[in-house]
Amino acid sequence: MVPRVIFGSGCFSQLGDILLPVRKSSEAPFIFLVDDFFENKGFAKQLPLMFNDEVIFISADEEPKTAQVDALVARIKEKYDELPSGIIGIGGGTLLDLAKAVSIMLNNHGVAKDYQGWDLVTRPALYHLGIPTISGTGAEVSRTTVLLGPDKKLGINSDYTTYDQVLLDPDFTKTVPKEQWFYTGMDCFIHCVESLTGTYLNAFSQSYGEKAMELCLEVFLGDIPEEESREKLMMASWHGGMSIAYSQVGIAHAMSYGLSYLLGVKHGIGNCLVFQHLEEFYPEGVAQFNQMMAKHGIELPKGICANLTQDDFDIMVNVSLGLEALWENALGPDWKKTITPERLQAMFQKI
């Protein structure tokens, strides 16, 4: 679990006070990995930079990749004589996952793809702090950093992955475009559906999942003030991330990983594209999802898989079926009797 968290409008202003006692020396910088949405907005002037601290603006247009992590690690090691004091991730799930992965790889040998899996990290990460600027992914609280590798999309799942400190400032989410707000929020909603209906469910994950679901329904189906909505969705993301940390996600995420690996579809919209067709498995959740789309005037793109070759489908199916824990959580230990490669391809063909 994340040991320290600060929540509240304007809490970003406390960042300097938080970092000062963590700084190792004037020669050990803090590296800020920031969504390039903020690059031309004078944002760097608001950061508590000292000595040789560095701000690296990174596009979140594509999913984070193992090669991208390796390149950032190599750049930092080449530029500085000693390891940084810490890594600060500011952005959505892409930037938060990149910051977690970079902090791990700066203190572990090899390359990022070697650590895709469960509990493969052997040495603690550098100090890392996360500041989400959009709500829904749960990346700020989870023990995984999901990366596209050369042959799979899979997280670095370890006890060293979780952030040392998180700042939850709802003011950051004021500028999020509506469709992105919806798709990322649906990531949280789908987390809840898959966790609460899964075979891995336990009292711990259920307590967080139920609260996250309650908040999602308030935000997306209720009529609450905008400021309250921002705060509640930020907390829904936190609780949803905690829920899946102690259980697992399911079919929508497994299939979304396949879409992302082959086509580069962003995670939030990928979940939505899949989830709309999963009424057989999540009837109540899909019904609520359809209500939410109607209420907010969201129309999903069609024909995403219309022109794919058989080789394309084989890749997506293999990537998705490789996430066995997700399928077992959704359908139980005999899930392979229900989901064959042929059936999964037919499900992709609907998208």
Side-chain angles (χ1 to χ4, degrees):
M1 297 173 68
V2 174
R4 292 178 177 172
V5 57
I6 294 177
F7 169 82
S9 176
C11 70
F12 176 70
S13 64
Q14 299 180 47
L15 181 59
D17 293 334
I18 293 168
L19 294 181
L20 191 59
V22 185
R23 187 180 295 275
K24 294 188 291 188
S25 75
S26 61
E27 300 301 315
F30 281 107
I31 308 296
F32 294 79
L33 305 183
V34 183
D35 191 319
D36 69 357
F37 172 83
F38 298 99
E39 187 166 5
N40 298 314
K41 297 177 169 57
F43 181 73
K45 295 178 182 177
Q46 302 176 46
L47 295 173
L49 303 178
M50 297 175 65
F51 306 115
N52 57 347
D53 291 348
E54 182 177 5
V55 182
I56 303 175
F57 290 102
I58 298 173
S59 171
D61 289 343
E62 296 183 353
E63 299 277 291
K65 299 177 175 62
T66 55
Q68 188 179 15
V69 173
D70 296 336
L72 284 166
V73 170
R75 168 181 170 174
I76 292 168
K77 285 186 173 180
E78 183 178 337
K79 184 171 182 178
Y80 300 101
D81 293 332
E82 60 181 279
L83 287 176
S85 293
I87 306 296
I88 317 302
I90 303 177
T94 293
L95 269 296
L96 294 176
D97 278 351
L98 275 176
K100 288 191 284 189
V102 169
S103 69
I104 288 171
M105 294 311 303
L106 280 167
N107 213 29
N108 283 270
H109 302 296
V111 291
K113 71 179 181 65
D114 297 339
Y115 296 90
Q116 285 182 286
W118 278 263
D119 299 310
L120 301 176
V121 181
T122 57
R123 302 180 64 185
L126 293 189
Y127 175 88
H128 49 306
L129 182 151
I131 304 174
T133 61
I134 187 170
S135 299
T137 69
E140 66 274 13
V141 68
S142 75
R143 74 187 294 275
T144 187
T145 167
V146 182
L147 302 171
L148 279 172
D151 54 12
K152 59 189 171 186
K153 178 179 178 179
L154 189 62
I156 298 176
N157 294 269
S158 81
D159 287 341
Y160 299 123
T161 306
T162 42
Y163 277 108
D164 298 292
Q165 169 90 54
V166 168
L167 291 185
L168 300 176
D169 189 336
D171 289 352
F172 272 112
T173 65
K174 288 179 180 179
T175 56
V176 176
K178 182 178 181 180
E179 287 193 342
Q180 189 177 0
W181 164 81
F182 184 85
Y183 295 144
T184 309
M186 286 303 98
D187 188 16
C188 178
F189 172 71
I190 294 168
H191 282 164
C192 298
V193 173
E194 294 182 325
S195 173
L196 291 171
T197 58
T199 62
Y200 288 7
L201 186 65
N202 54 73
F204 193 101
S205 60
Q206 184 175 1
S207 66
Y208 281 100
E210 288 177 345
K211 186 60 184 179
M213 175 66 82
E214 176 189 320
L215 292 167
C216 283
L217 294 177
E218 281 190 66
V219 169
F220 292 103
L221 291 179
D223 293 297
I224 57 178
E226 184 178 337
E227 182 178 354
E228 183 180 345
S229 174
R230 288 196 301 270
E231 293 177 346
K232 288 192 171 183
L233 187 55
M234 187 160 269
M235 291 316 302
S237 178
W238 181 270
H239 283 75
M242 284 298 298
S243 180
I244 60 170
Y246 284 84
S247 57
Q248 192 48 274
V249 285
I251 297 173
H253 277 73
M255 292 181 66
S256 176
Y257 280 19
L259 283 176
S260 177
Y261 181 81
L262 180 73
L263 302 175
V265 176
K266 293 280 286 182
H267 183 65
I269 190 172
N271 280 335
C272 293
L273 288 168
V274 173
F275 194 68
Q276 64 180 327
H277 300 296
L278 299 184
E279 185 176 11
E280 175 186 353
F281 304 101
Y282 307 112
E284 184 179 0
V286 173
Q288 291 170 327
F289 172 74
N290 289 334
Q291 285 181 273
M292 293 172 182
M293 283 209 302
K295 180 177 175 66
H296 296 285
I298 301 295
E299 291 189 15
L300 294 173
K302 299 187 184 339
I304 302 296
C305 297
N307 299 312
L308 298 184
T309 66
Q310 185 58 49
D311 285 345
D312 292 333
F313 280 115
D314 288 344
I315 290 169
M316 286 201 303
V317 165
N318 289 334
V319 168
S320 299
L321 290 180
L323 297 159
E324 296 195 6
L326 280 63
W327 293 101
E328 183 173 327
N329 178 53
L331 301 171
D334 294 329
W335 63 270
K336 290 182 181 179
K337 296 179 181 178
T338 303
I339 300 296
T340 63
E342 294 74 23
R343 185 175 183 190
L344 184 54
Q345 177 171 329
M347 292 163 68
F348 274 121
Q349 288 171 328
K350 296 178 182 179
I351 299 171

